[in-house]
Amino acid sequence: MPLPHRPSPRTPARLQDRATWLVSRAHARSFRLLNAGFEAHGGGLRGYHYRLLAALEEWGPSSQADVGRTTGIDRSDVTAALTELEAQGLVERSVDPANKRRKIVTLTDAGATRLLDLDAVIDGIQREFLAPLTAEQREQFLGLMSLLVEE
Amino acid sequence: MPLPHRPSPRTPARLQDRATWLVSRAHARSFRLLNAGFEAHGGGLRGYHYRLLAALEEWGPSSQADVGRTTGIDRSDVTAALTELEAQGLVERSVDPANKRRKIVTLTDAGATRLLDLDAVIDGIQREFLAPLTAEQREQFLGLMSLLVEE
DNA sequence: AACCAATGTTGGTCCCACCAACATAGCCGA
DNA sequence: TCGGCTATGTTGGTGGGACCAACATTGGTT
Protein backbone atom coordinates (compact mmCIF):
# COMPACT_ATOMS: atom_id res chain seq x y z
CA MET A 1 0.00 0.00 0.00
CA PRO A 2 1.83 3.05 -1.25
CA LEU A 3 1.84 6.30 0.61
CA PRO A 4 -0.67 8.80 -0.72
CA HIS A 5 1.95 11.51 -1.01
CA ARG A 6 -0.69 14.20 -0.84
CA PRO A 7 0.33 16.58 1.92
CA SER A 8 -2.41 19.04 2.70
CA PRO A 9 -1.35 22.63 2.18
CA ARG A 10 -0.06 23.39 5.63
CA THR A 11 2.05 26.39 6.47
CA PRO A 12 5.61 26.37 7.71
CA ALA A 13 5.73 27.35 11.35
CA ARG A 14 8.10 30.26 10.75
CA LEU A 15 5.52 31.74 8.41
CA GLN A 16 2.20 31.16 10.05
CA ASP A 17 2.60 33.74 12.79
CA ARG A 18 4.25 36.43 10.78
CA ALA A 19 2.09 39.42 10.10
CA THR A 20 3.41 39.93 6.59
CA TRP A 21 2.65 36.33 5.71
CA LEU A 22 -0.88 36.52 7.04
CA VAL A 23 -1.46 39.74 5.17
CA SER A 24 -0.13 38.14 2.04
CA ARG A 25 -2.52 35.19 2.40
CA ALA A 26 -5.44 37.45 3.20
CA HIS A 27 -4.64 39.57 0.19
CA ALA A 28 -4.42 36.53 -2.06
CA ARG A 29 -7.84 35.43 -0.91
CA SER A 30 -9.33 38.89 -1.25
CA PHE A 31 -7.77 39.26 -4.67
CA ARG A 32 -9.22 35.97 -5.86
CA LEU A 33 -12.68 36.96 -4.72
CA LEU A 34 -12.44 40.38 -6.32
CA ASN A 35 -11.13 38.96 -9.56
CA ALA A 36 -13.98 36.50 -9.71
CA GLY A 37 -16.45 39.29 -9.01
CA PHE A 38 -15.02 41.60 -11.65
CA GLU A 39 -14.86 38.72 -14.07
CA ALA A 40 -18.51 37.87 -13.55
CA HIS A 41 -20.04 41.32 -13.20
CA GLY A 42 -17.33 43.84 -13.86
CA GLY A 43 -17.73 44.37 -17.57
CA GLY A 44 -14.02 44.08 -18.17
CA LEU A 45 -13.05 46.52 -15.41
CA ARG A 46 -10.54 45.88 -12.65
CA GLY A 47 -9.45 47.37 -9.36
CA TYR A 48 -7.77 50.39 -10.87
CA HIS A 49 -10.93 51.32 -12.75
CA TYR A 50 -13.06 51.10 -9.66
CA ARG A 51 -10.65 53.24 -7.67
CA LEU A 52 -10.63 55.88 -10.36
CA LEU A 53 -14.40 55.97 -10.70
CA ALA A 54 -14.74 56.21 -6.93
CA ALA A 55 -12.31 59.10 -6.71
CA LEU A 56 -14.04 61.01 -9.50
CA GLU A 57 -17.44 60.47 -7.96
CA GLU A 58 -16.28 61.67 -4.57
CA TRP A 59 -14.12 64.62 -5.50
CA GLY A 60 -15.52 65.65 -8.83
CA PRO A 61 -13.66 66.43 -12.04
CA SER A 62 -9.91 66.52 -11.54
CA SER A 63 -6.75 66.47 -13.54
CA GLN A 64 -5.22 63.07 -14.17
CA ALA A 65 -2.28 63.91 -11.96
CA ASP A 66 -4.57 64.80 -9.07
CA VAL A 67 -6.59 61.65 -9.53
CA GLY A 68 -3.38 59.69 -9.46
CA ARG A 69 -2.26 61.35 -6.26
CA THR A 70 -5.54 60.87 -4.43
CA THR A 71 -5.83 57.24 -5.44
CA GLY A 72 -2.17 56.39 -5.08
CA ILE A 73 -2.05 55.10 -8.64
CA ASP A 74 0.96 55.93 -10.78
CA ARG A 75 0.47 58.55 -13.50
CA SER A 76 1.22 56.07 -16.23
CA ASP A 77 -1.28 53.56 -14.91
CA VAL A 78 -3.87 56.31 -14.56
CA THR A 79 -3.41 57.13 -18.23
CA ALA A 80 -3.93 53.55 -19.32
CA ALA A 81 -6.93 52.87 -17.10
CA LEU A 82 -8.62 56.15 -18.05
CA THR A 83 -8.22 55.31 -21.72
CA GLU A 84 -10.14 52.12 -21.07
CA LEU A 85 -12.80 53.89 -19.03
CA GLU A 86 -13.15 56.51 -21.73
CA ALA A 87 -13.57 53.82 -24.38
CA GLN A 88 -16.56 52.56 -22.41
CA GLY A 89 -17.97 56.06 -22.08
CA LEU A 90 -17.60 56.04 -18.31
CA VAL A 91 -15.39 59.12 -18.13
CA GLU A 92 -14.57 62.06 -20.37
CA ARG A 93 -11.24 63.79 -20.78
CA SER A 94 -10.80 67.40 -21.86
CA VAL A 95 -7.83 69.70 -21.89
CA ASP A 96 -7.94 72.28 -19.11
CA PRO A 97 -8.20 75.64 -20.94
CA ALA A 98 -6.43 77.34 -18.03
CA ASN A 99 -3.49 74.95 -18.20
CA LYS A 100 -3.06 73.07 -21.40
CA ARG A 101 -0.84 70.43 -19.88
CA ARG A 102 -3.68 69.15 -17.77
CA LYS A 103 -6.55 66.96 -18.76
CA ILE A 104 -9.68 67.29 -16.71
CA VAL A 105 -11.37 63.98 -16.16
CA THR A 106 -15.13 63.93 -15.62
CA LEU A 107 -17.36 61.07 -14.57
CA THR A 108 -20.21 60.54 -17.01
CA ASP A 109 -23.72 59.47 -16.02
CA ALA A 110 -22.93 56.03 -17.37
CA GLY A 111 -19.80 56.02 -15.22
CA ALA A 112 -21.76 56.93 -12.10
CA THR A 113 -24.25 54.18 -12.82
CA ARG A 114 -21.51 51.66 -13.39
CA LEU A 115 -19.89 52.68 -10.15
CA LEU A 116 -23.08 51.85 -8.29
CA ASP A 117 -23.20 48.46 -9.94
CA LEU A 118 -19.63 47.78 -8.91
CA ASP A 119 -20.44 48.94 -5.38
CA ALA A 120 -23.02 46.22 -5.11
CA VAL A 121 -20.67 43.56 -6.41
CA ILE A 122 -17.92 44.62 -4.07
CA ASP A 123 -20.22 44.79 -1.08
CA GLY A 124 -21.15 41.21 -1.69
CA ILE A 125 -17.52 40.28 -1.76
CA GLN A 126 -16.95 41.97 1.57
CA ARG A 127 -19.48 39.66 3.18
CA GLU A 128 -17.86 36.66 1.61
CA PHE A 129 -14.40 37.75 2.64
CA LEU A 130 -15.38 38.49 6.23
CA ALA A 131 -17.52 35.39 6.63
CA PRO A 132 -15.07 33.72 9.07
CA LEU A 133 -15.46 36.60 11.53
CA THR A 134 -18.24 37.54 13.90
CA ALA A 135 -19.71 41.04 13.72
CA GLU A 136 -17.59 42.11 16.66
CA GLN A 137 -14.45 40.66 15.17
CA ARG A 138 -15.13 42.51 11.94
CA GLU A 139 -15.23 45.76 13.83
CA GLN A 140 -11.93 44.97 15.49
CA PHE A 141 -10.44 43.91 12.20
CA LEU A 142 -11.39 47.10 10.39
CA GLY A 143 -10.08 49.19 13.24
CA LEU A 144 -6.73 47.45 13.42
CA MET A 145 -6.30 47.47 9.67
CA SER A 146 -6.97 51.18 9.56
CA LEU A 147 -4.20 51.75 12.06
CA LEU A 148 -1.86 49.56 10.10
CA VAL A 149 -2.54 51.26 6.81
CA GLU A 150 -2.42 54.89 7.56
CA GLU A 151 0.59 56.21 5.82
CA MET B 1 -1.49 83.09 -5.75
CA PRO B 2 -2.09 79.92 -7.69
CA LEU B 3 -3.68 76.90 -6.15
CA PRO B 4 -1.16 74.30 -5.07
CA HIS B 5 -3.05 71.51 -6.82
CA ARG B 6 -1.39 68.92 -4.66
CA PRO B 7 -4.11 66.93 -3.04
CA SER B 8 -2.79 64.69 -0.35
CA PRO B 9 -3.35 61.03 -1.04
CA ARG B 10 -6.69 60.59 0.66
CA THR B 11 -8.95 57.63 0.18
CA PRO B 12 -12.41 57.64 -1.33
CA ALA B 13 -15.02 57.06 1.36
CA ARG B 14 -16.48 54.01 -0.35
CA LEU B 15 -13.07 52.39 -0.16
CA GLN B 16 -11.69 53.29 3.22
CA ASP B 17 -13.96 51.02 5.23
CA ARG B 18 -13.95 48.04 2.96
CA ALA B 19 -12.03 45.07 4.24
CA THR B 20 -10.67 44.14 0.84
CA TRP B 21 -9.35 47.65 0.32
CA LEU B 22 -7.65 47.74 3.71
CA VAL B 23 -6.11 44.36 3.07
CA SER B 24 -4.90 45.55 -0.29
CA ARG B 25 -3.26 48.61 1.27
CA ALA B 26 -1.74 46.60 4.07
CA HIS B 27 -0.40 44.13 1.58
CA ALA B 28 1.09 46.89 -0.57
CA ARG B 29 2.88 48.26 2.48
CA SER B 30 4.05 44.85 3.60
CA PHE B 31 5.20 44.05 0.10
CA ARG B 32 7.20 47.26 -0.15
CA LEU B 33 8.94 46.54 3.13
CA LEU B 34 9.72 42.96 2.16
CA ASN B 35 10.98 43.98 -1.23
CA ALA B 36 13.28 46.54 0.32
CA GLY B 37 14.52 43.94 2.78
CA PHE B 38 15.15 41.31 0.14
CA GLU B 39 16.79 43.90 -2.05
CA ALA B 40 19.16 44.98 0.70
CA HIS B 41 19.90 41.66 2.38
CA GLY B 42 18.23 38.97 0.34
CA GLY B 43 21.02 38.06 -2.05
CA GLY B 44 18.67 38.13 -5.02
CA LEU B 45 16.02 35.94 -3.41
CA ARG B 46 12.33 36.74 -3.15
CA GLY B 47 9.25 35.60 -1.33
CA TYR B 48 8.92 32.33 -3.20
CA HIS B 49 12.47 31.37 -2.35
CA TYR B 50 11.98 32.02 1.34
CA ARG B 51 8.77 30.01 1.39
CA LEU B 52 10.46 27.08 -0.29
CA LEU B 53 13.47 27.13 2.00
CA ALA B 54 11.17 27.31 5.02
CA ALA B 55 9.11 24.34 3.86
CA LEU B 56 12.21 22.25 3.21
CA GLU B 57 13.70 23.09 6.57
CA GLU B 58 10.51 22.21 8.39
CA TRP B 59 9.45 19.06 6.60
CA GLY B 60 12.68 17.75 5.23
CA PRO B 61 13.44 16.57 1.72
CA SER B 62 10.34 16.35 -0.42
CA SER B 63 9.35 16.04 -4.02
CA GLN B 64 8.78 19.25 -5.88
CA ALA B 65 5.08 18.52 -6.17
CA ASP B 66 4.79 18.07 -2.41
CA VAL B 67 6.71 21.24 -1.75
CA GLY B 68 4.36 23.04 -4.09
CA ARG B 69 1.32 21.68 -2.31
CA THR B 70 2.52 22.52 1.16
CA THR B 71 3.54 26.03 0.21
CA GLY B 72 0.63 26.74 -2.10
CA ILE B 73 3.01 27.63 -4.90
CA ASP B 74 2.20 26.44 -8.40
CA ARG B 75 4.30 23.56 -9.77
CA SER B 76 5.69 25.70 -12.53
CA ASP B 77 6.73 28.45 -10.16
CA VAL B 78 8.31 25.88 -7.85
CA THR B 79 10.40 24.64 -10.74
CA ALA B 80 11.65 28.10 -11.60
CA ALA B 81 12.39 29.15 -8.03
CA LEU B 82 14.15 25.89 -7.22
CA THR B 83 16.36 26.29 -10.26
CA GLU B 84 17.46 29.63 -8.87
CA LEU B 85 17.98 28.23 -5.39
CA GLU B 86 19.97 25.35 -6.83
CA ALA B 87 22.16 27.76 -8.78
CA GLN B 88 23.09 29.37 -5.47
CA GLY B 89 23.77 25.98 -3.90
CA LEU B 90 20.96 26.39 -1.38
CA VAL B 91 19.08 23.25 -2.39
CA GLU B 92 19.87 20.05 -4.26
CA ARG B 93 17.64 18.10 -6.59
CA SER B 94 17.89 14.40 -7.26
CA VAL B 95 15.65 11.93 -9.01
CA ASP B 96 13.75 9.70 -6.61
CA PRO B 97 15.07 6.19 -7.38
CA ALA B 98 11.74 4.73 -6.25
CA ASN B 99 9.79 6.91 -8.63
CA LYS B 100 11.72 8.40 -11.46
CA ARG B 101 9.14 11.07 -12.16
CA ARG B 102 9.83 12.73 -8.86
CA LYS B 103 12.71 14.95 -7.90
CA ILE B 104 13.61 15.00 -4.26
CA VAL B 105 14.62 18.44 -3.10
CA THR B 106 17.01 18.74 -0.19
CA LEU B 107 18.07 21.80 1.76
CA THR B 108 21.83 22.19 1.84
CA ASP B 109 23.78 23.52 4.77
CA ALA B 110 24.24 26.74 2.87
CA GLY B 111 20.51 26.85 2.35
CA ALA B 112 19.81 26.36 6.05
CA THR B 113 22.24 29.13 6.89
CA ARG B 114 20.72 31.44 4.35
CA LEU B 115 17.28 30.70 5.73
CA LEU B 116 18.42 31.87 9.16
CA ASP B 117 19.74 35.07 7.65
CA LEU B 118 16.44 35.68 5.94
CA ASP B 119 14.61 34.95 9.17
CA ALA B 120 16.45 37.80 10.82
CA VAL B 121 15.69 40.18 7.98
CA ILE B 122 12.04 39.25 7.96
CA ASP B 123 11.72 39.50 11.72
CA GLY B 124 12.98 43.04 11.51
CA ILE B 125 10.38 43.79 8.89
CA GLN B 126 7.63 42.43 11.14
CA ARG B 127 8.52 45.00 13.76
CA GLU B 128 8.51 47.76 11.20
CA PHE B 129 5.22 46.63 9.74
CA LEU B 130 3.49 46.32 13.10
CA ALA B 131 4.92 49.53 14.49
CA PRO B 132 1.54 51.33 14.46
CA LEU B 133 0.05 48.75 16.84
CA THR B 134 0.46 48.17 20.55
CA ALA B 135 1.54 44.75 21.75
CA GLU B 136 -2.04 43.91 22.62
CA GLN B 137 -3.30 45.05 19.26
CA ARG B 138 -0.70 42.91 17.54
CA GLU B 139 -2.01 39.87 19.34
CA GLN B 140 -5.54 40.69 18.26
CA PHE B 141 -4.39 41.34 14.73
CA LEU B 142 -2.61 38.02 14.37
CA GLY B 143 -5.58 36.18 15.80
CA LEU B 144 -8.08 37.80 13.49
CA MET B 145 -5.89 37.35 10.45
CA SER B 146 -5.48 33.68 11.23
CA LEU B 147 -9.23 33.26 11.24
CA LEU B 148 -9.53 35.12 7.98
CA VAL B 149 -6.89 33.12 6.26
CA GLU B 150 -7.77 29.64 7.35
CA GLU B 151 -7.74 27.35 4.37
C1' DA C 1 15.04 84.62 -21.92
C1' DA C 2 16.57 80.65 -19.20
C1' DC C 3 15.74 77.42 -16.14
C1' DC C 4 13.11 74.28 -13.59
C1' DA C 5 8.78 71.79 -12.44
C1' DA C 6 4.53 69.62 -13.67
C1' DT C 7 1.73 66.89 -16.94
C1' DG C 8 0.44 63.13 -19.82
C1' DT C 9 2.21 59.46 -22.46
C1' DT C 10 5.00 55.52 -23.96
C1' DG C 11 7.30 51.60 -22.89
C1' DG C 12 9.49 49.09 -19.92
C1' DT C 13 10.40 45.96 -15.18
C1' DC C 14 9.20 43.05 -11.23
C1' DC C 15 6.61 39.88 -8.25
C1' DC C 16 2.92 36.97 -7.38
C1' DA C 17 -0.68 33.95 -9.01
C1' DC C 18 -2.43 31.07 -12.35
C1' DC C 19 -3.22 28.13 -16.59
C1' DA C 20 -2.27 25.04 -20.72
C1' DA C 21 0.31 21.72 -22.86
C1' DC C 22 3.65 18.24 -23.04
C1' DA C 23 6.89 14.11 -22.33
C1' DT C 24 7.88 10.93 -19.02
C1' DA C 25 6.80 7.65 -15.64
C1' DG C 26 3.86 5.02 -12.62
C1' DC C 27 -0.60 2.86 -11.59
C1' DC C 28 -4.77 0.20 -12.09
C1' DG C 29 -8.51 -2.17 -14.10
C1' DA C 30 -10.25 -4.89 -17.86
C1' DT D 1 -0.53 -7.69 -20.39
C1' DC D 2 -2.22 -4.00 -22.39
C1' DG D 3 -4.59 0.52 -22.47
C1' DG D 4 -5.90 4.32 -20.18
C1' DC D 5 -5.52 7.41 -16.51
C1' DT D 6 -2.92 10.11 -13.26
C1' DA D 7 1.16 12.33 -11.30
C1' DT D 8 5.38 14.85 -12.17
C1' DG D 9 8.42 18.29 -13.80
C1' DT D 10 9.07 21.58 -17.33
C1' DT D 11 8.19 25.22 -20.75
C1' DG D 12 5.83 29.09 -21.98
C1' DG D 13 2.25 32.17 -21.45
C1' DT D 14 -1.41 35.47 -19.10
C1' DG D 15 -2.90 39.02 -16.01
C1' DG D 16 -3.07 42.41 -12.21
C1' DG D 17 -0.89 45.65 -9.29
C1' DA D 18 2.99 48.57 -8.41
C1' DC D 19 6.89 50.98 -10.14
C1' DC D 20 10.40 53.52 -12.97
C1' DA D 21 12.67 56.12 -16.86
C1' DA D 22 12.39 59.07 -20.54
C1' DC D 23 10.26 62.40 -23.38
C1' DA D 24 7.57 66.45 -25.45
C1' DT D 25 4.75 69.94 -24.01
C1' DT D 26 3.48 73.61 -21.10
C1' DG D 27 3.74 76.66 -16.91
C1' DG D 28 5.91 79.14 -13.63
C1' DT D 29 10.01 81.52 -11.64
C1' DT D 30 13.84 84.26 -11.61
Side-chain angles (χ1 to χ4, degrees):
Chain A
M1 167 172 164
L3 293 178
H5 270 304
R6 300 280 175 71
S8 53
R10 289 179 297 164
T11 299
R14 44 166 40 78
L15 283 179
Q16 71 186 355
D17 285 329
R18 294 221 231 236
T20 53
W21 167 258
L22 291 167
V23 167
S24 160
R25 292 306 84 200
H27 173 257
R29 177 159 168 262
S30 156
F31 192 64
R32 267 193 304 272
L33 292 173
L34 287 170
N35 269 358
F38 278 117
E39 178 108 14
H41 313 98
L45 301 185
R46 294 155 304 159
Y48 275 1
H49 300 116
Y50 179 73
R51 288 206 236 166
L52 293 172
L53 293 177
L56 289 172
E57 194 277 340
E58 179 154 345
W59 294 310
S62 319
S63 77
Q64 296 189 194
D66 282 354
V67 172
R69 276 186 287 265
T70 55
T71 58
I73 301 176
D74 188 87
R75 298 206 310 276
S76 59
D77 299 319
V78 170
T79 294
L82 285 181
T83 299
E84 290 155 353
L85 290 174
E86 196 178 29
Q88 293 202 18
L90 306 179
V91 304
E92 284 170 355
R93 284 195 275 200
S94 63
V95 174
D96 183 351
N99 186 339
K100 290 188 217 142
R101 284 177 304 187
R102 317 179 108 217
K103 288 189 180 176
I104 301 298
V105 187
T106 308
L107 190 65
T108 65
D109 288 351
T113 301
R114 186 66 147 276
L115 178 58
L116 293 179
D117 293 346
L118 292 176
D119 277 338
V121 172
I122 293 177
D123 277 339
I125 291 174
Q126 303 309 301
R127 283 190 289 278
E128 199 172 346
F129 179 70
L130 292 174
L133 301 187
T134 67
E136 188 184 2
Q137 287 171 331
R138 293 178 198 191
E139 288 290 328
Q140 282 186 11
F141 176 74
L142 294 179
L144 291 173
M145 289 300 282
S146 298
L147 290 176
L148 219 38
V149 153
E150 36 196 55
E151 239 39 31
Chain B
M1 167 175 167
L3 293 177
H5 269 305
R6 301 278 174 73
S8 52
R10 289 180 296 164
T11 300
R14 43 165 43 78
L15 283 180
Q16 71 185 356
D17 285 329
R18 294 220 231 237
T20 54
W21 167 258
L22 291 167
V23 167
S24 161
R25 294 304 83 200
H27 173 258
R29 178 158 167 262
S30 157
F31 192 64
R32 267 193 304 271
L33 292 173
L34 287 170
N35 268 358
F38 278 117
E39 179 106 17
H41 312 98
L45 301 185
R46 295 154 303 159
Y48 275 1
H49 301 116
Y50 180 72
R51 287 205 235 167
L52 293 172
L53 293 177
L56 290 171
E57 194 277 338
E58 180 153 345
W59 295 309
S62 320
S63 76
Q64 295 188 194
D66 282 354
V67 172
R69 277 187 287 265
T70 55
T71 58
I73 300 177
D74 188 87
R75 296 206 314 274
S76 59
D77 299 320
V78 170
T79 294
L82 284 182
T83 300
E84 290 155 351
L85 289 174
E86 197 177 30
Q88 293 202 18
L90 306 179
V91 303
E92 284 171 353
R93 283 194 275 200
S94 63
V95 174
D96 183 350
N99 185 338
K100 291 187 215 142
R101 284 178 305 187
R102 317 179 109 217
K103 287 191 180 175
I104 302 298
V105 187
T106 307
L107 190 65
T108 65
D109 288 350
T113 302
R114 186 65 147 276
L115 179 57
L116 293 180
D117 293 346
L118 292 176
D119 276 339
V121 172
I122 292 178
D123 276 340
I125 291 175
Q126 304 309 301
R127 283 190 289 278
E128 199 172 345
F129 179 70
L130 292 174
L133 301 186
T134 67
E136 188 184 2
Q137 287 171 330
R138 294 177 197 190
E139 288 291 327
Q140 282 187 10
F141 176 75
L142 294 179
L144 292 172
M145 289 299 282
S146 298
L147 291 176
L148 220 39
V149 152
E150 250 164 36
E151 148 266 3

Short mmCIF file of all heavy atoms in Angstrom, two decimals, chain A residues 22 25 29 42 51 66 79 88 107 111 119-120 141:
data_model
loop_
_atom_site.label_atom_id
_atom_site.label_comp_id
_atom_site.label_asym_id
_atom_site.label_seq_id
_atom_site.Cartn_x
_atom_site.Cartn_y
_atom_site.Cartn_z
N LEU A 22 0.58 36.56 6.92
CA LEU A 22 -0.88 36.52 7.04
C LEU A 22 -1.52 37.55 6.12
O LEU A 22 -2.54 37.27 5.47
CB LEU A 22 -1.27 36.78 8.50
CG LEU A 22 -0.90 35.66 9.47
CD1 LEU A 22 -1.03 36.13 10.91
CD2 LEU A 22 -1.77 34.44 9.23
N ARG A 25 -1.48 36.20 2.65
CA ARG A 25 -2.52 35.19 2.40
C ARG A 25 -3.89 35.83 2.31
O ARG A 25 -4.71 35.48 1.47
CB ARG A 25 -2.53 34.16 3.53
CG ARG A 25 -1.33 33.26 3.62
CD ARG A 25 -1.04 32.54 2.34
NE ARG A 25 -0.26 33.40 1.47
CZ ARG A 25 -0.15 33.24 0.16
NH1 ARG A 25 -0.79 32.26 -0.44
NH2 ARG A 25 0.57 34.06 -0.56
N ARG A 29 -6.45 35.85 -0.94
CA ARG A 29 -7.84 35.43 -0.91
C ARG A 29 -8.76 36.56 -1.38
O ARG A 29 -9.65 36.36 -2.21
CB ARG A 29 -8.20 35.01 0.52
CG ARG A 29 -9.63 34.62 0.70
CD ARG A 29 -9.86 33.74 1.93
NE ARG A 29 -11.28 33.63 2.21
CZ ARG A 29 -11.90 34.39 3.12
NH1 ARG A 29 -11.21 35.24 3.86
NH2 ARG A 29 -13.20 34.26 3.30
N GLY A 42 -18.08 42.60 -13.79
CA GLY A 42 -17.33 43.84 -13.86
C GLY A 42 -17.25 44.46 -15.24
O GLY A 42 -16.73 45.57 -15.39
N ARG A 51 -11.25 52.17 -8.48
CA ARG A 51 -10.65 53.24 -7.67
C ARG A 51 -10.79 54.59 -8.34
O ARG A 51 -11.07 55.60 -7.69
CB ARG A 51 -9.16 52.96 -7.49
CG ARG A 51 -8.84 51.83 -6.56
CD ARG A 51 -7.48 52.06 -5.99
NE ARG A 51 -6.55 50.97 -6.20
CZ ARG A 51 -5.24 51.06 -6.01
NH1 ARG A 51 -4.71 52.22 -5.67
NH2 ARG A 51 -4.47 50.03 -6.20
N ASP A 66 -3.92 64.75 -10.38
CA ASP A 66 -4.57 64.80 -9.07
C ASP A 66 -5.27 63.48 -8.76
O ASP A 66 -5.19 62.98 -7.63
CB ASP A 66 -5.59 65.94 -9.04
CG ASP A 66 -4.93 67.29 -8.85
OD1 ASP A 66 -3.70 67.32 -8.63
OD2 ASP A 66 -5.62 68.31 -8.92
N THR A 79 -3.21 56.90 -16.80
CA THR A 79 -3.41 57.13 -18.23
C THR A 79 -4.03 55.91 -18.90
O THR A 79 -5.05 56.02 -19.60
CB THR A 79 -2.07 57.45 -18.91
OG1 THR A 79 -1.58 58.69 -18.42
CG2 THR A 79 -2.23 57.55 -20.42
N GLN A 88 -15.24 53.07 -22.78
CA GLN A 88 -16.56 52.56 -22.41
C GLN A 88 -17.53 53.69 -22.11
O GLN A 88 -18.66 53.44 -21.66
CB GLN A 88 -16.44 51.65 -21.18
CG GLN A 88 -15.69 50.36 -21.44
CD GLN A 88 -16.04 49.28 -20.42
OE1 GLN A 88 -17.06 49.34 -19.74
NE2 GLN A 88 -15.18 48.26 -20.33
N LEU A 107 -16.55 62.28 -14.60
CA LEU A 107 -17.36 61.07 -14.57
C LEU A 107 -18.64 61.31 -15.37
O LEU A 107 -19.32 62.31 -15.18
CB LEU A 107 -17.70 60.74 -13.11
CG LEU A 107 -18.35 59.39 -12.80
CD1 LEU A 107 -17.41 58.26 -13.11
CD2 LEU A 107 -18.77 59.36 -11.34
N GLY A 111 -20.85 56.38 -16.17
CA GLY A 111 -19.80 56.02 -15.22
C GLY A 111 -20.34 55.95 -13.80
O GLY A 111 -20.01 55.04 -13.04
N ASP A 119 -20.28 48.88 -6.83
CA ASP A 119 -20.44 48.94 -5.38
C ASP A 119 -21.16 47.71 -4.87
O ASP A 119 -20.75 47.08 -3.89
CB ASP A 119 -21.26 50.19 -5.00
CG ASP A 119 -20.39 51.43 -4.92
OD1 ASP A 119 -19.17 51.30 -4.75
OD2 ASP A 119 -20.94 52.53 -5.04
N ALA A 120 -22.23 47.36 -5.56
CA ALA A 120 -23.02 46.22 -5.11
C ALA A 120 -22.20 44.93 -5.17
O ALA A 120 -22.21 44.13 -4.23
CB ALA A 120 -24.27 46.09 -5.98
N PHE A 141 -11.31 44.08 13.37
CA PHE A 141 -10.44 43.91 12.20
C PHE A 141 -10.32 45.22 11.44
O PHE A 141 -9.20 45.66 11.12
CB PHE A 141 -11.02 42.82 11.30
CG PHE A 141 -10.26 42.62 10.02
CD1 PHE A 141 -9.03 41.99 10.01
CD2 PHE A 141 -10.78 43.07 8.82
CE1 PHE A 141 -8.32 41.82 8.84
CE2 PHE A 141 -10.09 42.90 7.63
CZ PHE A 141 -8.86 42.27 7.65
#
